[in-house]
Amino acid sequence: MTNTQVKLAARPVGNPKDSDLIIEESAIPIIQEGEILIKTKYISLDPAMRGWMNEGKSYIKPIQIGEVFRAGTAGQIIESNNPDFTVGQYVTGGWGVQEYAVSTGKDLVKVDTNIAPLTTYLSTLGMPGMTAYFGFLDTGMPKEGETVVVSGASGAVGSVVGQIAKIKGCKVVGIAGDQEKCDYCVNELGFDACINYKTEDVRKALKTACPEGIDIYFDNVGGEILDIVLGQIRMKARIVICGAISQYNNTEPVKGPSNYLALLVNRAKMEGIVVFDNAANYGKAAREMAGWIHEGKLQSKVHIEKGIRNFLPTMMMLFSGENFGKLILEVE
């Protein structure tokens, strides 16, 4: 029995390619006292992965050349020499893109698949859900009746933001790149409207959907859409910068907002968020969101692809918009 691992071989320029990664087979380590062996079941695919491949200063150190590719993971304990963990338990963590992992148990979270499917702990009850929860509630600071716009609206983060906004009594307008995704946001998630940026004039559509302007914009895409939204914000608006997926594979400098003076005119605030800053409060957020799931107020949609050797083409689905819902790789 061997362990398949995906490692970073080179730092990509533009879109990552096969030669930027290496797939290795190695023996599964024998666990020592205090250690456990985990069989990976699911790997989380997130836009932030592209940034982790780059050298340079960021909120987290880059993946090193020759290192197992960093990823959120969920799996089952198959051997244990640690009294705090038993064989058969399910855990989540960040042991990366590999079939098996040895751990001391540090930074692992035990999860109950009787409460929610294991995949939910990588989506709504995992990093995307935590990003949405803290980014929207703590940084967006919503008030009942406000108008919220969220880009990447059907994605793992955006869909949760929109649903929490509805729970908090806000008007919610999504932006997505596919009509099926827009229909999902409105008909199943309860958004008030959703704009298809590939077929509609976003500037005009936003004016129609948000005639009094925008109070909160939760930005997952950056680029031109951020600029358009800035032109329609209200006094004291809050712009939450979560990501800029439209810019991640650029070979030229990132396109920044030319309309930034709207922040001055409207005394508005633009603030970036990193989910890890809220790690101490993950438990509180998970309990509240689990309650919303139980009440039917918060839905979770996952898109599962299979096979660890399909890691790169699966990750690239994030940047082409092929995935519908939280993208997860099942390790067979």
Side-chain angles (χ1 to χ4, degrees):
M1 193 164 61
T2 59
N3 184 18
T4 303
Q5 299 177 310
V6 177
K7 298 182 178 181
L8 185 65
R11 301 207 181 279
V13 176
N15 289 327
K17 52 189 182 298
D18 289 342
S19 60
D20 294 324
L21 300 176
I22 185 169
I23 300 176
E24 289 186 352
E25 301 281 349
S26 59
I28 298 173
I30 298 173
I31 60 173
Q32 307 300 314
E33 189 65 31
E35 293 182 334
I36 58 176
L37 180 64
I38 307 165
K39 172 69 172 75
T40 307
K41 297 290 187 181
Y42 298 106
I43 297 170
S44 176
L45 283 297
D46 300 286
M49 288 174 154
R50 178 61 187 85
W52 299 342
M53 300 173 82
N54 296 335
E55 191 67 84
K57 182 180 179 182
S58 186
Y59 62 89
I60 190 171
K61 70 176 184 177
I63 302 169
Q64 299 303 300
I65 301 297
E67 188 175 54
V68 172
F69 206 102
R70 181 186 300 136
T73 40
Q76 188 173 31
I77 297 169
I78 59 173
E79 291 182 26
S80 178
N81 282 336
N82 185 319
D84 295 328
F85 295 87
T86 58
V87 171
Q89 282 184 325
Y90 290 98
V91 293
T92 60
W95 56 82
V97 186
Q98 53 184 333
E99 285 187 283
Y100 297 90
V102 172
S103 173
T104 61
K106 182 183 179 183
D107 298 328
L108 295 183
V109 177
K110 300 174 187 176
V111 297
D112 188 346
T113 55
N114 292 313
I115 294 175
L118 189 57
T119 53
T120 304
Y121 292 97
L122 291 180
S123 56
T124 307
L125 297 180
M127 186 176 71
M130 298 299 149
T131 301
Y133 182 96
F134 292 107
F136 181 66
L137 295 178
D138 289 5
T139 304
M141 298 182 295
K143 302 179 186 66
E144 187 175 355
E146 289 191 319
T147 296
V148 176
V149 173
V150 55
S151 56
S154 69
V157 174
S159 63
V160 178
V161 169
Q163 290 178 87
I164 294 177
K166 292 303 298 182
I167 290 169
K168 296 300 180 180
C170 298
K171 176 181 179 179
V172 181
V173 177
I175 302 174
D178 178 272
Q179 194 55 47
E180 184 182 5
K181 294 177 181 179
C182 286
D183 292 343
Y184 166 73
C185 289
V186 173
N187 298 331
E188 296 191 42
L189 302 186
F191 286 32
D192 296 279
C194 189
I195 298 164
N196 184 341
Y197 73 83
K198 290 185 178 178
T199 61
E200 298 181 67
D201 182 318
V202 176
R203 184 176 281 102
K204 290 181 179 178
L206 277 175
K207 286 181 179 179
T208 300
C210 313
E212 297 179 0
I214 298 163
D215 297 292
I216 302 172
Y217 175 49
F218 197 101
D219 185 27
N220 290 304
V221 303
E224 183 182 6
I225 289 177
L226 170 59
D227 228 23
I228 291 170
V229 171
L230 284 173
Q232 300 188 37
I233 58 174
R234 298 183 70 188
M235 190 69 68
K236 297 290 184 181
R238 285 83 70 203
I239 314 298
V240 183
I241 303 297
C242 176
I245 195 170
S246 71
Q247 306 292 302
Y248 288 163
N249 290 310
N250 280 7
T251 56
E252 299 174 355
V254 169
K255 179 182 177 182
S258 59
N259 216 2
Y260 75 95
L261 285 178
L263 297 169
L264 183 157
V265 172
N266 292 286
R267 282 71 114 193
K269 179 174 71 172
M270 181 185 291
E271 185 174 349
I273 59 162
V274 174
V275 67
F276 307 127
D277 294 343
N278 302 284
N281 295 312
Y282 284 177
K284 167 185 170 292
R287 286 190 293 273
E288 185 164 24
M289 286 195 289
W292 291 335
I293 291 172
H294 181 72
E295 294 168 7
K297 296 178 179 179
L298 185 58
Q299 297 183 40
S300 179
K301 186 178 185 68
V302 295
H303 179 138
I304 297 177
E305 296 288 324
K306 295 185 177 182
I308 195 167
R309 291 179 176 273
N310 292 322
F311 169 71
L312 182 57
T314 303
M315 184 181 79
M316 294 310 296
M317 293 175 71
L318 293 164
F319 304 99
S320 62
E322 291 177 65
N323 63 298
F324 190 172
K326 167 61 187 159
L327 187 58
I328 292 173
L329 188 65
E330 182 177 356
V331 178
E332 298 178 288

